[in-house]
Amino acid sequence: MCGIVGILGDHEAAPILIDALKRLEYRGYDSAGIATVDAGSLGRRRAMGKLVNLSDLLMHEPITGKSGIGHTRWATHGAPNVINAHPHRAKDVAVVHNGIIENYKDLRDELTAAGTVFETETDTETVVQLCMSYLNEGLSSIDAAAATIKCLEGAYALCFLFEGEDDLLIAARKGSPLAIGHGDGEMYVGSDALALAPMTDKITYLEEGDWAVVTRSSLEIRDADGKLANREMRTIKVDAGKTDKGIHKHYMMKEIAEQPTVLADAIGHYTDAETGTVSVPNLNIDFTTVDKITMVACGTAYLACSVAKYWFEQIASIPCEVDVASEFRYREPPMSDKSVAMFVSQSGETADTLAALRYCAEKVAKTVAVVNVAESSISRECDISLPIHAGVEIGVASTKAFTCQLIALAAVVISAARARGEMDAAVEQELHDALNNLPGLINQSLAHQSHIDAVTIDLAKAADALFLGRGVMYPLALEGALKLKEISYIHAEGYASGELKHGPIALVDEHMPVIVMAPKDDLFDKTVSNMQEVMARGGKVLLVTDQSGADTAGDGVWKTIIMPPVHNMLAPVLYAIPAQLIAYYTAVRKGTDVDQPRNLAKSVTVE
Ligand code: F6R
């Protein structure tokens, strides 16, 4: 997390840095800051909270200079206040950092013993103080930065700026992504290509352990051993124009509303109308020899994997395990060399998912990335990378990426089932048609927005909520609860309907909304029994179902949201829409910051 940017430009750097930081604010928004060099003189401005506070500060206290660095912070060490905001500075050097320096205490102790006085509790201040100590020993700026980088353990993307150096940035990467942008007589550094998109589409990605000396006219990259490294410059397509909110008040609503279009695009990549088949381009796997699928991810992406587990086992008859990435490798699970490991991530940079991938890399037959950001670390490090075609997702709460992940995973499952002889052409045609019907069904369910908005009048008053689902709808109940808690701050839990009576039913009373996600499928009657158990105890049931389900459910349901009928397999994709809208409208009613909920960041690049 944290977004960093650096510019060696031909124009005043401050407004360009602010503009780039706007595109990085999804990575953290606890504080922001910039530093510039003007005729050799280093200056900086920092402000607590959102970027807008820094922009306001710069109106009153501008800084000049065509070279600069900027940072938007997600706090790890030290409170989110001005003193802990980046860039950190020690006299002649300023640094922005994304990641965690794990040995900072040891370095700090050594520096303190040698007389350095620290201003903050942050790990990053150690980097600038250490660099300054090397400058004091007489090392050049480049040598001081190189010596500093050598001492660091942990994860970092760093960008250094120096007093007296109008044409120099030092960039370094280990564990956190970093891109170098090539302009016309200008050079840039950024956490991702999106940050640099309006300036350039020519990007060189630093690899693990690389550090780079950047000037307006040159780029010299060295690897972890200090050897000159040749890294390819690529042309990256990121449409920065698509990052506005359009007619919507929030990115989240824009991204919810985009789903019929982006899903149609994604489905178009996997289905062939002429043959009625489903296939995944470049999925070079012989599924007849695969003995297990392991799926690893975090948060919403983990819940997409949890849906796909039902599909892999029921439809393709392949045993499937799903793990939360932050726990996976600590179990030290034995991996079969006939298995496939899949890593699902919107950003493609989530530190725990990346670490899980590295754990599996040499142990399994194939590693597969299912990512939204095509140039991300997870995408680049997997044997096979499947793009989900969701387009840029800015809202911190994942919406369209979730449904697009489900589409990509469904296509993999169908391909695997066909290859293993578990699916005949008629069933494949049926699923092909069901997939292609989805965008229309999503459009229909988006038409219920005002009803869902009205339902949230009472929901917004609740302190707690339960979400229930059975079978493939169970992970969706977890997703509904995750969405609600992360943007409305209402405590919400998702449960398998049948698990309710094993404990959580003790929570149920007349104040507890219980949201039941249940299309009229083979499991519906059992879910209705669980609903009755809730209603018998005064619980308020909000049932999300189809007309047939509503007709069967009987009396006593508090409120109902009617969905169009959908193929059983794809119900979690369609029912994601009301889950997202319930969370959205509840949060809007509560007045929380929908796009940038407190304490969160979109790209979680620390473990
Ligand atoms: C929730 C949400 C997070 C992410 C999680 C993984 O709405 O967005 O739970 O799903 O942080 O992020 P990625 O998919 O980038 O690995």
Side-chain angles (χ1 to χ4, degrees), residues 81 217 314-315 363 434 438 460 483 486-487 543 569 575 585 600:
N81 54 25
S217 55
Q314 288 172 351
I315 299 168
K363 301 185 175 78
L438 261 179
K483 281 293 90 96
E486 73 176 321
I487 62 167
L543 175 61
M569 174 186 173
Y575 280 59
Y585 284 114
L600 292 177

Side-chain angles (χ1 to χ4, degrees), residues 285-291 318 338 415-421:
I285 295 174
D286 177 1
F287 279 104
T288 59
T289 60
V290 172
D291 63 3
I318 308 182
K338 294 199 182 86
S415 306
R418 185 187 46 236
R420 290 165 72 90

Side-chain angles (χ1 to χ4, degrees), residues 298-301 344-348 350 353 396-398 405 482-483 486 602 604:
C298 296
T300 287
V344 180
S345 173
Q346 187 285 128
S347 61
T350 301
T353 311
V396 164
S398 190
Q405 283 160 354
L482 175 59
K483 281 293 90 96
E486 73 176 321
K602 189 149 187 76
V604 184

